[in-house]
Amino acid sequence: MKKGEWADCTKNGVKDIVEILIGYDGLTFAQAKAGLQMKITRKNLFLALAKQVPDADGKLIPNPYKNWSDIDASLPNEKIEVLGPPPTSGTRDSMHELFMEVGAGEIPALKALKEKDAKAFETVWKSVREDGAYVEAGENDNVIVQKLEANPKSFGVFGYSFLEENVSKLSGVPIDGVAPSFETIADGSYKPSRELFVYLKKAHVGVVPGLDKFAFEYVSDAATGDEGYLSDKGLVPLPAEKHAEVAKAVNALEPMKGDELK
C-alpha cells in the first residue's frame, strides 16, 4: 500500500486496516531454454523498453533501438522483442518500479532530469514503447510461455513464482550479474524483487465469516513458514524472525499506522 492509497482509504472511511506481509517474489526477465542466454542490466532494460530515451546530447527522442546490440555491443545482434503485462496488471507496476525506474536513474541525463523535475522523470520511466518491441501479452502468463517457446529469441516479464512453475521450459536472465532464484531473492542479492501483501479491514472480522481464520492461516508456519505449502507455489518466505513478528501482529489483528508508507 502506498501513502496515496492510504489517504484514499481514510477519505472513504476505511479504517483499522491490517497488513499481512506474506513473503517475497522476484520480477524476472525470462527466456526459453533454447534462447539467447544473455546477461543484462536494468539500464539495458530501460533503454530497450522505454518510449523515449536520451540521445548523445541528453535530449529525449523516440526510442531508436531495434536490436539488443544497438544498446550495448556485448548484447546479441538480434531484434528486441519482449512480451509482458498490460497496464492493468500489478506485474506491470512492478516492471516500472523494479526495472524501468532503476534503469532510468542510472543514465546521467535522466538522473539530472529527476533532480530538476521529478514528475517529468516519472513520465519517462513509466512510458513503454509502442512500436512492437514490447508486446502486451495480456494477464495470462501461460500465453507468454507458449510464445517464448515458439520464438526462442524473445523474452518475457513475469513474477519468479511463474518462472519456478515453468523451470523445465524457461530460464531467468541474470540481471546486474545475479540470476533469479529462491536463494538470491531470499538473501536480497537479486535486486528486482518485491514484498507481497494482503490487506483486510478489521471491521469486517466477525461480519465476513472466516475472515480472521483466513488471515491467521496466511501467517501460519504451515502456509508461509520456511517449508510452508506456499513455497511450493514459488513464494519466497520471510526470514524466521520477521515471519514471527508479522504473525504476532496479524494474530492480534493489529491495525497498521500508515506513517511507515511512502
Side-chain angles (χ1 to χ4, degrees):
M1 181 179 289
K2 298 178 181 178
K3 186 177 291 185
E5 294 167 331
W6 173 268
D8 286 342
C9 288
T10 302
K11 180 181 177 182
N12 289 281
V14 179
K15 301 177 181 179
D16 290 338
I17 300 168
V18 178
E19 180 181 75
I20 309 172
L21 172 58
I22 63 172
Y24 305 104
D25 186 23
L27 186 67
T28 65
F29 189 63
Q31 58 188 345
K33 287 287 189 182
L36 298 173
Q37 305 303 315
M38 67 179 184
K39 298 178 181 180
I40 202 163
T41 67
R42 283 185 279 184
K43 177 182 175 181
N44 294 153
L45 283 173
F46 170 80
L47 292 173
L49 303 179
K51 188 173 184 177
Q52 290 186 305
V53 298
D55 64 10
D57 297 320
K59 179 183 177 182
L60 287 171
I61 60 171
N63 195 323
Y65 303 124
K66 303 299 181 184
N67 289 0
W68 290 105
S69 56
D70 297 337
I71 296 170
D72 188 314
S74 68
L75 296 175
N77 185 23
E78 297 289 349
K79 178 182 176 183
I80 298 170
E81 184 175 333
V82 178
L83 309 169
T88 52
S89 169
T91 303
R92 176 68 166 260
D93 292 335
S94 293
M95 184 184 86
H96 285 310
E97 294 172 9
L98 297 176
F99 287 173
M100 303 294 282
E101 182 178 10
V102 175
E106 294 176 357
I107 298 171
L110 294 182
K111 184 177 180 180
L113 177 63
K114 180 180 180 180
E115 294 171 357
K116 179 182 177 181
D117 188 340
K119 279 291 184 184
F121 174 70
E122 182 179 4
T123 297
V124 173
W125 62 259
K126 280 190 173 180
S127 299
V128 177
R129 64 196 299 182
E130 301 170 340
D131 59 358
Y134 180 81
V135 180
E136 292 180 2
E139 301 278 5
N140 188 345
D141 289 337
N142 286 302
V143 173
I144 298 182
V145 175
Q146 293 168 10
K147 291 186 176 182
L148 294 183
E149 289 189 292
N151 178 13
K153 293 181 180 180
S154 62
F155 297 85
V157 176
F158 36 68
Y160 172 74
S161 58
F162 197 78
L163 174 63
E164 181 74 6
E165 289 176 18
N166 291 274
V167 70
S168 64
K169 302 175 182 178
L170 306 176
S171 60
V173 177
I175 295 178
D176 295 322
V178 181
S181 70
F182 186 96
E183 291 76 17
T184 58
I185 293 171
D187 67 19
S189 58
Y190 182 76
K191 299 305 181 183
S193 60
R194 56 186 175 178
E195 296 174 319
L196 299 178
F197 296 93
V198 172
Y199 295 89
L200 67 86
K201 185 177 177 182
K202 188 174 180 178
H204 285 164
V205 174
V207 177
V208 177
L211 182 60
D212 52 348
K213 294 181 177 62
F214 175 80
F216 302 156
E217 178 65 15
Y218 250 127
V219 295
S220 68
D221 288 340
T224 52
D226 280 343
E227 298 182 10
Y229 56 77
L230 289 181
S231 293
D232 296 335
K233 299 298 182 182
L235 178 75
V236 177
L238 301 170
E241 186 176 342
K242 183 65 175 178
H243 174 72
E245 177 187 324
V246 171
K248 181 179 179 181
V250 173
N251 282 316
L253 293 175
E254 184 179 308
M256 59 191 296
K257 296 177 180 177
D259 54 7
E260 72 272 42
L261 299 175
K262 298 178 181 180

